[in-house]
Amino acid sequence: MDRIKEKMNQLRLDADESAAKVEELQIKLKALEQENLAKEQEITSLSHKNGLLESDNEKLDTAVKDLKKAADEGQQHGTQNETLQRRLQLLEEEAEEADKTLREANEKLRQTDVKAGHFERKVQALENERDQWESKYEEMAKKYAQVQKELEDFQAEIGNI
């Protein structure tokens, strides 16, 4: 009788631990889902920023081409040519900065994609682990019910004796 009680107590403890673990994993899953959502929003933001930077880069490239053409046509105007060349140099530097910013944004986007993939794999692993725990919990519940029935049968037999 004591062994059965000990076994029942152990099963209860195991069931309680399993339930606590499931709750803990659900909390972790929610946190990861929120973190994943934040990463997706960041990806969207970076993609939008990337599009804007590409548009700015095209505008700057067009401006650079226009300034070069104006510089070729205005060689007889020395002062005007020097001014245009300075403008051209500034625009090229801005274009290089914009290009550098674009490359950095693309790199951040790529890293974010990698992180998002990593977190998706983590979420999948946690879901698998949760499923395993749920399966174990169901098995333990079945075993508990079975032991409970055996205990009731045993008590009935003892009561008949």
Side-chain angles (χ1 to χ4, degrees):
M1 183 75 164
D2 288 335
R3 292 179 95 193
I4 293 173
K5 285 183 181 179
E6 286 178 18
K7 193 170 186 178
M8 282 179 40
N9 286 336
Q10 184 61 39
L11 287 172
R12 284 184 186 132
L13 287 174
D14 289 346
D16 290 344
E17 288 175 7
S18 295
K21 185 68 175 180
V22 166
E23 288 176 14
E24 179 184 322
L25 290 173
Q26 286 175 342
I27 290 170
K28 284 182 181 179
L29 177 62
K30 285 180 183 178
L32 287 172
E33 286 173 347
Q34 288 175 348
E35 191 174 319
N36 192 22
L37 180 61
K39 294 295 181 183
E40 288 175 1
Q41 289 173 346
E42 185 178 342
I43 288 170
T44 304
S45 174
L46 288 173
S47 295
H48 177 69
K49 189 174 181 179
N50 187 17
L52 292 175
L53 289 173
E54 286 177 354
S55 174
D56 288 346
N57 193 26
E58 289 175 11
K59 289 176 186 176
L60 289 174
D61 284 344
T62 303
V64 166
K65 289 177 185 177
D66 291 343
L67 288 174
K68 282 183 179 180
K69 184 177 179 182
D72 290 340
E73 292 173 357
Q75 285 180 350
Q76 62 271 37
H77 307 289
T79 349
Q80 185 180 9
N81 189 21
E82 287 179 14
T83 304
L84 290 174
Q85 285 179 351
R86 281 188 225 127
R87 276 191 200 167
L88 177 62
Q89 185 178 8
L90 288 174
L91 286 173
E92 286 176 345
E93 289 172 5
E94 287 177 6
E96 289 175 6
E97 281 295 319
D99 196 31
K100 179 181 174 185
T101 305
L102 177 62
R103 282 192 302 271
E104 290 173 359
N106 282 335
E107 179 61 23
K108 286 180 182 178
L109 179 61
R110 187 192 62 75
Q111 290 174 356
T112 303
D113 283 343
V114 169
K115 286 180 182 179
H118 174 71
F119 286 122
E120 287 173 0
R121 287 188 298 276
K122 273 190 172 180
V123 165
Q124 184 64 38
L126 286 172
E127 286 175 349
N128 289 341
E129 186 176 341
R130 181 203 61 208
D131 292 343
Q132 288 174 352
W133 279 106
E134 286 176 354
S135 174
K136 285 181 183 179
Y137 176 76
E138 289 172 6
E139 287 177 20
M140 294 305 278
K142 287 178 185 177
K143 286 181 182 179
Y144 176 77
Q146 187 179 28
V147 168
Q148 185 70 29
K149 185 175 186 290
E150 288 176 9
L151 176 61
E152 289 172 8
D153 292 343
F154 182 71
Q155 286 176 344
E157 286 178 18
I158 289 177
N160 291 337
I161 293 179

